[in-house]
Coordinates of all heavy atoms in Angstrom, one line a residue:
Y1 N 0.8 -1.2 0.0 CA 0.0 0.0 0.0 C 0.9 1.3 0.0 O 0.6 2.2 -0.7 CB -1.0 0.0 1.2 CG -1.9 1.2 1.2 CD1 -3.1 1.1 0.7 CD2 -1.5 2.4 1.7 CE1 -4.0 2.2 0.6 CE2 -2.3 3.5 1.7 CZ -3.6 3.4 1.2 OH -4.4 4.5 1.1
L2 N 1.9 1.3 0.8 CA 2.7 2.5 0.9 C 3.4 2.7 -0.4 O 3.5 3.9 -0.8 CB 3.7 2.3 2.1 CG 3.2 2.3 3.5 CD1 4.3 2.1 4.5 CD2 2.4 3.5 3.8
K3 N 4.0 1.7 -1.0 CA 4.7 1.9 -2.2 C 3.8 2.5 -3.3 O 4.3 3.3 -4.1 CB 5.3 0.6 -2.7 CG 6.6 0.2 -2.0 CD 7.1 -1.2 -2.5 CE 8.2 -1.7 -1.6 NZ 8.7 -3.0 -2.0
E4 N 2.6 2.0 -3.4 CA 1.7 2.5 -4.4 C 1.0 3.8 -4.1 O 0.7 4.6 -5.0 CB 0.6 1.4 -4.7 CG 1.2 0.1 -5.3 CD 0.1 -0.9 -5.5 OE1 -1.0 -0.6 -5.4 OE2 0.5 -2.1 -5.7
N5 N 0.7 4.1 -2.8 CA -0.2 5.2 -2.5 C 0.5 6.3 -1.7 O 0.1 7.4 -1.8 CB -1.4 4.7 -1.7 CG -2.2 3.8 -2.5 OD1 -2.9 4.2 -3.4 ND2 -2.1 2.5 -2.2
I6 N 1.6 5.9 -0.9 CA 2.3 7.0 -0.1 C 3.7 6.7 -0.2 O 4.4 6.3 0.7 CB 1.8 6.9 1.3 CG1 0.3 6.8 1.5 CG2 2.2 8.2 2.0 CD1 -0.1 6.5 2.9
P7 N 4.3 6.9 -1.4 CA 5.7 6.4 -1.6 C 6.8 7.2 -0.8 O 7.9 6.7 -0.6 CB 6.0 6.7 -3.1 CG 4.9 7.7 -3.5 CD 3.7 7.4 -2.6
Q8 N 6.4 8.3 -0.2 CA 7.3 9.1 0.6 C 7.4 8.4 2.0 O 8.3 8.8 2.8 CB 7.0 10.5 0.7 CG 5.6 10.9 1.3 CD 4.5 10.9 0.3 OE1 4.3 10.1 -0.5 NE2 3.7 12.0 0.4
L9 N 6.6 7.4 2.3 CA 6.8 6.6 3.5 C 7.3 5.2 3.2 O 7.1 4.7 2.1 CB 5.4 6.5 4.2 CG 4.7 7.7 4.6 CD1 3.4 7.4 5.3 CD2 5.5 8.6 5.5
S10 N 8.0 4.6 4.1 CA 8.5 3.2 3.8 C 8.3 2.4 5.1 O 8.2 3.0 6.2 CB 9.9 3.3 3.4 OG 10.7 3.8 4.4
C11 N 8.3 1.1 4.9 CA 8.2 0.2 6.0 C 8.7 -1.1 5.7 O 8.5 -1.6 4.6 CB 6.7 0.1 6.4 SG 6.3 -1.0 7.7
E12 N 9.4 -1.8 6.6 CA 9.8 -3.1 6.5 C 8.6 -4.0 7.0 O 8.0 -3.7 8.0 CB 11.1 -3.4 7.3 CG 12.3 -2.7 6.7 CD 12.7 -3.1 5.4 OE1 12.6 -4.3 5.0 OE2 13.1 -2.3 4.6
I13 N 8.3 -5.1 6.4 CA 7.3 -6.0 6.9 C 7.8 -6.6 8.2 O 8.9 -7.2 8.2 CB 7.0 -7.2 5.8 CG1 6.6 -6.6 4.5 CG2 6.0 -8.1 6.4 CD1 5.3 -5.7 4.5
P14 N 7.0 -6.5 9.2 CA 7.4 -7.0 10.5 C 7.4 -8.6 10.5 O 6.7 -9.2 9.9 CB 6.3 -6.5 11.5 CG 5.1 -6.2 10.7 CD 5.7 -5.8 9.3
E15 N 8.4 -9.1 11.2 CA 8.6 -10.6 11.3 C 8.4 -10.9 12.8 O 9.1 -10.5 13.6 CB 9.9 -11.0 10.8 CG 10.1 -10.8 9.3 CD 11.5 -11.3 8.9 OE1 12.1 -12.1 9.5 OE2 12.0 -10.8 7.8
G16 N 7.4 -11.7 13.0 CA 7.2 -12.2 14.4 C 6.7 -11.1 15.4 O 6.8 -11.2 16.6
C17 N 6.1 -10.1 14.8 CA 5.6 -9.0 15.6 C 4.4 -8.4 14.9 O 4.2 -8.5 13.7 CB 6.7 -8.0 15.8 SG 6.2 -6.6 16.8
Y18 N 3.5 -7.7 15.6 CA 2.4 -7.1 15.0 C 2.5 -5.6 15.0 O 1.5 -4.9 14.8 CB 1.1 -7.5 15.7 CG 1.1 -7.3 17.2 CD1 0.5 -6.1 17.7 CD2 1.5 -8.2 18.1 CE1 0.5 -5.8 19.1 CE2 1.5 -8.0 19.5 CZ 1.0 -6.8 20.0 OH 0.9 -6.6 21.3
F19 N 3.7 -5.1 15.1 CA 3.9 -3.6 14.9 C 4.7 -3.4 13.7 O 5.7 -4.0 13.4 CB 4.7 -3.0 16.1 CG 4.0 -3.1 17.4 CD1 4.5 -3.8 18.4 CD2 2.7 -2.4 17.6 CE1 3.8 -3.9 19.7 CE2 2.1 -2.5 18.8 CZ 2.6 -3.2 19.8
A20 N 4.2 -2.4 12.9 CA 4.9 -2.0 11.7 C 5.5 -0.6 11.9 O 4.8 0.3 12.4 CB 4.0 -2.0 10.4
W21 N 6.8 -0.4 11.7 CA 7.4 0.8 12.0 C 7.5 1.6 10.6 O 8.2 1.1 9.7 CB 8.8 0.6 12.6 CG 8.7 0.1 14.0 CD1 8.6 -1.2 14.4 CD2 8.7 0.9 15.2 NE1 8.5 -1.3 15.7 CE2 8.5 0.0 16.2 CE3 8.7 2.2 15.4 CZ2 8.4 0.4 17.6 CZ3 8.7 2.6 16.8 CH2 8.5 1.7 17.8
I22 N 6.8 2.6 10.5 CA 6.7 3.4 9.2 C 7.6 4.6 9.3 O 7.5 5.4 10.2 CB 5.3 3.9 9.0 CG1 4.3 2.7 8.9 CG2 5.2 4.7 7.7 CD1 2.8 3.1 8.8
D23 N 8.6 4.6 8.4 CA 9.6 5.6 8.3 C 9.1 6.8 7.5 O 8.7 6.8 6.4 CB 10.8 5.1 7.6 CG 12.0 6.0 7.5 OD1 11.8 7.3 7.7 OD2 13.1 5.6 7.1
F24 N 9.0 8.0 8.2 CA 8.6 9.2 7.5 C 9.7 10.3 7.4 O 9.4 11.4 7.1 CB 7.3 9.8 8.3 CG 7.6 10.3 9.6 CD1 8.0 11.7 9.8 CD2 7.4 9.5 10.7 CE1 8.3 12.2 11.1 CE2 7.7 10.0 12.0 CZ 8.1 11.3 12.2
S25 N 10.9 9.8 7.5 CA 12.0 10.8 7.4 C 12.1 11.6 6.1 O 12.6 12.7 6.0 CB 13.3 10.1 7.7 OG 13.6 9.1 6.7
K26 N 11.6 11.0 5.0 CA 11.6 11.7 3.7 C 10.7 12.9 3.6 O 10.8 13.7 2.7 CB 11.3 10.7 2.6 CG 12.4 9.6 2.4 CD 12.0 8.7 1.2 CE 13.0 7.6 1.1 NZ 12.6 6.6 0.1
L27 N 9.8 13.0 4.6 CA 8.9 14.1 4.6 C 9.5 15.4 5.0 O 9.0 16.5 4.7 CB 7.7 13.8 5.5 CG 6.8 12.6 5.1 CD1 5.7 12.5 6.2 CD2 6.1 12.8 3.8
N28 N 10.6 15.3 5.7 CA 11.3 16.5 6.3 C 10.4 17.4 7.1 O 10.5 18.6 7.0 CB 12.0 17.2 5.1 CG 13.1 16.5 4.5 OD1 13.9 15.9 5.2 ND2 13.1 16.5 3.2
I29 N 9.6 16.7 8.0 CA 8.8 17.5 8.9 C 9.0 16.9 10.3 O 9.4 15.7 10.4 CB 7.3 17.5 8.6 CG1 6.7 16.1 8.6 CG2 7.1 18.2 7.2 CD1 5.2 16.1 8.5
S30 N 8.7 17.6 11.3 CA 8.9 17.1 12.7 C 7.8 16.1 13.0 O 6.7 16.1 12.4 CB 8.8 18.3 13.6 OG 7.5 18.8 13.7
S31 N 8.1 15.3 14.0 CA 7.1 14.4 14.5 C 5.8 15.1 15.0 O 4.7 14.6 14.7 CB 7.7 13.5 15.6 OG 6.8 12.6 16.0
D32 N 6.0 16.2 15.6 CA 4.9 17.0 16.1 C 4.0 17.5 15.0 O 2.8 17.4 15.1 CB 5.4 18.2 17.0 CG 6.0 17.7 18.3 OD1 5.7 16.6 18.8 OD2 6.8 18.5 18.9
K33 N 4.6 18.0 13.9 CA 3.8 18.4 12.8 C 3.1 17.3 12.1 O 1.9 17.4 11.8 CB 4.7 19.1 11.8 CG 4.1 19.6 10.5 CD 3.0 20.7 10.7 CE 2.5 21.1 9.4 NZ 1.3 22.1 9.6
F34 N 3.7 16.2 12.0 CA 3.1 15.0 11.4 C 2.0 14.5 12.3 O 0.9 14.2 11.8 CB 4.1 13.9 11.2 CG 3.7 12.8 10.3 CD1 2.7 12.9 9.4 CD2 4.4 11.6 10.3 CE1 2.3 11.9 8.5 CE2 4.0 10.6 9.4 CZ 3.0 10.7 8.5
Q35 N 2.1 14.5 13.6 CA 1.1 14.1 14.5 C -0.1 15.0 14.4 O -1.3 14.6 14.4 CB 1.6 14.1 15.9 CG 2.4 12.9 16.3 CD 1.7 11.6 16.2 OE1 0.6 11.4 16.6 NE2 2.3 10.6 15.5
E36 N 0.1 16.3 14.2 CA -0.9 17.3 14.1 C -1.7 17.0 12.8 O -3.0 17.0 12.8 CB -0.3 18.7 14.0 CG -1.3 19.8 13.9 CD -0.6 21.2 13.8 OE1 0.3 21.4 14.6 OE2 -1.0 21.9 12.9
L37 N -1.1 16.7 11.7 CA -1.8 16.4 10.5 C -2.6 15.1 10.6 O -3.7 15.0 10.2 CB -0.8 16.2 9.3 CG -0.1 17.5 8.8 CD1 1.0 17.1 7.8 CD2 -1.1 18.3 8.0
L38 N -2.0 14.1 11.2 CA -2.6 12.8 11.4 C -3.9 13.0 12.2 O -5.0 12.4 11.9 CB -1.8 11.8 12.0 CG -0.5 11.3 11.2 CD1 0.4 10.5 12.0 CD2 -1.0 10.6 10.0
I39 N -3.9 13.7 13.3 CA -5.0 13.9 14.2 C -6.0 14.8 13.6 O -7.2 14.5 13.5 CB -4.5 14.3 15.6 CG1 -3.7 13.2 16.2 CG2 -5.7 14.8 16.4 CD1 -3.0 13.6 17.5
N40 N -5.6 16.0 13.1 CA -6.6 17.0 12.7 C -7.2 16.8 11.3 O -8.3 17.1 11.0 CB -6.0 18.4 12.8 CG -5.7 18.8 14.2 OD1 -6.3 18.4 15.2 ND2 -4.5 19.5 14.4
I41 N -6.4 16.2 10.4 CA -6.8 16.0 9.0 C -7.2 14.6 8.8 O -8.3 14.3 8.3 CB -5.7 16.4 8.0 CG1 -5.2 17.9 8.2 CG2 -6.2 16.2 6.6 CD1 -6.3 18.9 8.0
G42 N -6.4 13.6 9.1 CA -6.6 12.2 8.9 C -7.5 11.6 9.9 O -8.1 10.5 9.6
K43 N -7.7 12.3 11.0 CA -8.5 11.7 12.1 C -8.1 10.3 12.5 O -8.9 9.4 12.7 CB -10.0 11.7 11.7 CG -10.6 13.0 11.2 CD -10.6 14.0 12.3 CE -11.3 15.3 11.9 NZ -10.9 16.4 12.6
V44 N -6.8 10.2 12.6 CA -6.1 8.9 13.0 C -5.1 9.2 14.1 O -4.3 10.2 14.0 CB -5.5 8.2 11.8 CG1 -4.4 9.0 11.2 CG2 -5.0 6.8 12.2
A45 N -5.2 8.5 15.2 CA -4.2 8.6 16.3 C -3.3 7.4 16.2 O -3.7 6.3 16.2 CB -4.9 8.7 17.6
I46 N -2.0 7.7 16.1 CA -1.0 6.7 16.0 C 0.2 7.1 16.8 O 0.5 8.3 16.8 CB -0.6 6.4 14.5 CG1 0.2 5.2 14.3 CG2 -0.1 7.6 13.8 CD1 0.4 4.8 12.8
M47 N 0.8 6.1 17.4 CA 1.9 6.5 18.3 C 3.2 6.9 17.5 O 3.6 6.2 16.6 CB 2.3 5.3 19.1 CG 1.2 4.8 20.1 SD 0.8 6.1 21.3 CE 2.3 6.2 22.2
P48 N 3.7 8.1 17.9 CA 5.0 8.5 17.3 C 6.1 7.6 17.8 O 6.1 7.2 19.0 CB 5.2 9.9 17.8 CG 4.3 10.1 19.0 CD 3.2 9.1 18.8
G49 N 7.0 7.2 17.0 CA 8.1 6.3 17.3 C 9.0 6.8 18.4 O 9.5 6.1 19.2
A50 N 9.1 8.1 18.5 CA 10.0 8.8 19.6 C 9.5 8.4 21.0 O 10.3 8.5 22.0 CB 10.1 10.3 19.4
T51 N 8.2 8.0 21.1 CA 7.7 7.6 22.4 C 8.6 6.4 22.9 O 8.6 6.2 24.1 CB 6.2 7.2 22.3 OG1 5.5 8.3 21.8 CG2 5.6 6.7 23.6
Y52 N 9.1 5.6 22.0 CA 9.8 4.4 22.4 C 11.3 4.6 22.4 O 12.1 3.6 22.4 CB 9.4 3.3 21.5 CG 7.9 3.1 21.5 CD1 7.1 3.7 20.5 CD2 7.3 2.5 22.6 CE1 5.7 3.6 20.6 CE2 5.9 2.4 22.6 CZ 5.1 3.0 21.6 OH 3.8 2.9 21.7
G53 N 11.8 5.8 22.3 CA 13.2 6.1 22.3 C 13.7 6.9 21.1 O 13.0 7.0 20.1
E54 N 14.9 7.4 21.2 CA 15.5 8.2 20.2 C 15.6 7.6 18.8 O 15.4 8.2 17.8 CB 16.9 8.6 20.7 CG 17.6 9.6 19.7 CD 17.0 11.0 19.6 OE1 16.2 11.4 20.5 OE2 17.2 11.6 18.6
D55 N 15.8 6.3 18.8 CA 15.9 5.6 17.5 C 14.6 5.6 16.7 O 14.6 5.4 15.5 CB 16.3 4.1 17.7 CG 17.8 4.0 18.1 OD1 18.6 5.0 17.9 OD2 18.2 3.0 18.6
G56 N 13.5 5.8 17.4 CA 12.2 5.8 16.8 C 11.7 7.2 16.3 O 10.6 7.4 15.9
K57 N 12.6 8.1 16.3 CA 12.3 9.6 16.1 C 11.6 9.8 14.8 O 10.7 10.6 14.7 CB 13.6 10.4 16.2 CG 13.5 11.8 16.0 CD 14.7 12.6 16.3 CE 15.6 12.6 15.1 NZ 16.8 13.5 15.2
N58 N 12.0 9.2 13.7 CA 11.4 9.4 12.4 C 10.4 8.3 12.0 O 10.3 8.0 10.8 CB 12.4 9.7 11.3 CG 13.1 11.0 11.6 OD1 12.5 12.0 11.8 ND2 14.5 10.9 11.6
Y59 N 9.8 7.7 13.0 CA 8.9 6.6 12.7 C 7.6 6.7 13.4 O 7.4 7.4 14.3 CB 9.5 5.3 13.2 CG 10.8 4.8 12.4 CD1 12.0 5.3 12.7 CD2 10.6 4.0 11.3 CE1 13.1 4.9 12.0 CE2 11.7 3.5 10.6 CZ 13.0 4.0 11.0 OH 14.1 3.7 10.3
L60 N 6.6 6.1 12.8 CA 5.3 5.8 13.4 C 5.2 4.4 13.7 O 5.7 3.5 13.0 CB 4.1 6.2 12.5 CG 4.0 7.6 12.0 CD1 2.9 7.7 11.0 CD2 3.7 8.5 13.1
R61 N 4.6 4.0 14.8 CA 4.4 2.6 15.2 C 2.9 2.2 14.9 O 2.0 2.7 15.6 CB 4.8 2.3 16.6 CG 4.7 0.8 16.9 CD 5.0 0.6 18.4 NE 3.8 0.7 19.1 CZ 3.6 0.2 20.3 NH1 4.6 -0.4 20.9 NH2 2.4 0.3 20.9
L62 N 2.7 1.4 13.9 CA 1.4 1.0 13.5 C 1.1 -0.4 14.0 O 1.9 -1.3 13.6 CB 1.2 1.1 12.0 CG -0.1 0.7 11.4 CD1 -1.2 1.7 11.8 CD2 0.0 0.7 9.8
N63 N 0.0 -0.5 14.7 CA -0.4 -1.9 15.2 C -1.1 -2.5 14.0 O -2.2 -2.1 13.6 CB -1.3 -1.8 16.4 CG -1.7 -3.1 17.0 OD1 -1.7 -4.1 16.2 ND2 -2.1 -3.1 18.2
V64 N -0.6 -3.6 13.5 CA -1.3 -4.4 12.4 C -1.9 -5.7 12.9 O -2.3 -6.5 12.1 CB -0.3 -4.6 11.2 CG1 0.1 -3.3 10.6 CG2 0.9 -5.4 11.6
G65 N -2.0 -5.8 14.2 CA -2.6 -7.0 14.8 C -4.1 -6.8 14.9 O -4.7 -6.8 16.0
C66 N -4.8 -6.5 13.8 CA -6.2 -6.3 13.8 C -6.7 -6.6 12.4 O -5.9 -7.0 11.5 CB -6.5 -4.8 14.1 SG -5.7 -3.6 12.9
P67 N -8.0 -6.6 12.2 CA -8.5 -6.9 10.8 C -7.9 -6.1 9.7 O -7.6 -4.9 9.9 CB -10.0 -6.6 10.9 CG -10.3 -6.8 12.4 CD -9.1 -6.3 13.1
R68 N -7.7 -6.7 8.6 CA -7.0 -6.0 7.5 C -7.8 -4.7 7.1 O -7.2 -3.7 6.8 CB -7.0 -7.0 6.3 CG -6.3 -6.4 5.0 CD -6.3 -7.3 3.9 NE -5.6 -6.7 2.8 CZ -4.5 -7.2 2.3 NH1 -4.0 -8.3 2.8 NH2 -3.9 -6.6 1.3
K69 N -9.1 -4.8 7.1 CA -9.9 -3.6 6.8 C -9.6 -2.4 7.7 O -9.5 -1.3 7.2 CB -11.4 -3.9 6.9 CG -12.3 -2.8 6.4 CD -13.7 -3.3 6.3 CE -14.5 -2.2 5.7 NZ -15.7 -2.6 5.1
K70 N -9.3 -2.7 8.9 CA -8.9 -1.6 9.9 C -7.6 -1.0 9.5 O -7.4 0.2 9.6 CB -9.0 -2.1 11.3 CG -8.8 -1.0 12.3 CD -9.1 -1.5 13.7 CE -9.1 -0.4 14.7 NZ -9.5 -0.8 16.0
V71 N -6.6 -1.9 9.2 CA -5.3 -1.4 8.8 C -5.4 -0.5 7.5 O -4.8 0.5 7.4 CB -4.3 -2.6 8.5 CG1 -3.0 -2.1 7.9 CG2 -4.1 -3.3 9.8
E72 N -6.2 -1.0 6.5 CA -6.4 -0.3 5.3 C -7.0 1.1 5.5 O -6.7 2.1 4.9 CB -7.2 -1.1 4.3 CG -6.5 -2.3 3.8 CD -7.4 -3.2 3.0 OE1 -8.6 -3.1 3.0 OE2 -6.8 -4.1 2.3
D73 N -8.0 1.1 6.4 CA -8.7 2.4 6.8 C -7.7 3.4 7.4 O -7.6 4.5 7.0 CB -9.8 2.2 7.7 CG -10.5 3.4 8.2 OD1 -10.9 4.2 7.3 OD2 -10.7 3.7 9.4
G74 N -6.8 2.9 8.3 CA -5.8 3.7 8.9 C -4.8 4.3 7.9 O -4.5 5.4 7.9
L75 N -4.4 3.4 7.0 CA -3.4 3.8 6.0 C -4.1 4.9 5.1 O -3.4 5.9 4.6 CB -2.9 2.7 5.2 CG -2.0 1.7 5.9 CD1 -1.7 0.4 5.1 CD2 -0.7 2.4 6.3
S76 N -5.3 4.7 4.7 CA -6.0 5.7 3.9 C -6.1 7.0 4.6 O -6.1 8.1 4.0 CB -7.4 5.2 3.4 OG -8.3 5.1 4.4
R77 N -6.3 7.0 5.9 CA -6.4 8.2 6.7 C -5.0 8.9 6.7 O -4.9 10.2 6.7 CB -6.9 7.9 8.1 CG -8.4 7.6 8.1 CD -8.7 7.0 9.5 NE -10.1 6.6 9.5 CZ -11.1 7.3 10.1 NH1 -10.8 8.5 10.7 NH2 -12.3 6.9 10.1
I78 N -4.0 8.1 6.8 CA -2.6 8.7 6.8 C -2.4 9.4 5.4 O -1.8 10.5 5.4 CB -1.5 7.6 7.1 CG1 -1.6 7.1 8.5 CG2 -0.1 8.1 6.7 CD1 -0.8 5.9 8.8
K79 N -2.8 8.7 4.4 CA -2.7 9.3 3.0 C -3.4 10.6 2.9 O -2.9 11.6 2.4 CB -3.2 8.3 2.0 CG -3.1 8.8 0.6 CD -3.6 7.9 -0.4 CE -3.6 8.5 -1.8 NZ -4.2 7.6 -2.8
K80 N -4.6 10.7 3.5 CA -5.4 11.9 3.5 C -4.7 13.0 4.2 O -4.7 14.2 3.8 CB -6.8 11.6 4.1 CG -7.7 12.8 4.2 CD -9.0 12.5 4.9 CE -9.8 13.8 5.0 NZ -11.1 13.5 5.7
A81 N -4.1 12.7 5.3 CA -3.4 13.7 6.1 C -2.2 14.3 5.3 O -2.0 15.4 5.2 CB -2.9 13.1 7.4
L82 N -1.5 13.4 4.6 CA -0.3 13.8 3.8 C -0.7 14.6 2.6 O 0.1 15.4 2.1 CB 0.5 12.6 3.4 CG 1.3 12.0 4.6 CD1 2.0 10.8 4.2 CD2 2.2 13.0 5.3
E83 N -1.9 14.4 2.1 CA -2.4 15.2 0.9 C -2.5 16.7 1.3 O -2.6 17.5 0.4 CB -3.7 14.7 0.4 CG -3.5 13.3 -0.3 CD -4.8 12.6 -0.6 OE1 -5.9 13.0 -0.2 OE2 -4.7 11.6 -1.4
N84 N -2.5 17.0 2.6 CA -2.7 18.4 3.0 C -1.3 18.9 3.5 O -1.2 20.0 4.1 CB -3.7 18.4 4.2 CG -5.0 18.3 3.7 OD1 -5.7 19.2 3.2 ND2 -5.6 17.0 3.7
L85 N -0.2 18.3 3.2 CA 1.1 18.7 3.5 C 1.6 19.8 2.6 O 1.5 19.7 1.4 CB 2.1 17.5 3.6 CG 3.5 17.8 4.1 CD1 3.4 18.2 5.5 CD2 4.2 16.5 4.0

């Protein structure tokens, strides 16, 4: 989905875990600005990676341990937020 719809974001497929770490470093915006867009425009709340330490600074932590439809909805909301960047 990211490669086709939001190419400025990237993610490695998680192995043995239900968290996907989405890299947003190519956006060249702060985590706070990205969170603002996600919440106010995309209407999606997602944990900033920095919550889990300095190495997570340019990442979002997406829980994919849920129905596929819910993951797809969340990704479409992220896309909507980025269309207003």
Side-chain angles (χ1 to χ4, degrees):
Y1 183 94
L2 293 179
K3 285 180 186 177
E4 292 178 15
N5 297 286
I6 319 171
Q8 61 271 48
L9 301 181
S10 62
C11 177
E12 296 293 324
I13 302 297
E15 294 182 23
C17 182
Y18 56 91
F19 295 119
W21 292 86
I22 300 174
D23 182 347
F24 66 89
S25 60
K26 292 179 184 174
L27 297 177
N28 293 317
I29 62 171
S30 70
S31 181
D32 290 338
K33 175 66 176 174
F34 196 18
Q35 286 295 313
E36 182 181 313
L37 289 170
L38 292 170
I39 291 168
N40 296 326
I41 305 296
K43 305 295 184 203
V44 61
I46 189 169
M47 294 299 296
T51 302
Y52 305 98
E54 184 66 22
D55 289 341
K57 183 171 83 171
N58 291 310
Y59 291 86
L60 298 174
R61 188 183 83 162
L62 178 66
N63 182 338
V64 294
C66 59
R68 183 182 182 115
K69 186 171 183 155
K70 189 170 184 173
V71 173
E72 290 170 349
D73 180 54
L75 291 171
S76 69
R77 290 169 182 257
I78 291 170
K79 181 181 177 187
K80 179 181 177 182
L82 289 177
E83 288 170 351
N84 288 277
L85 185 61

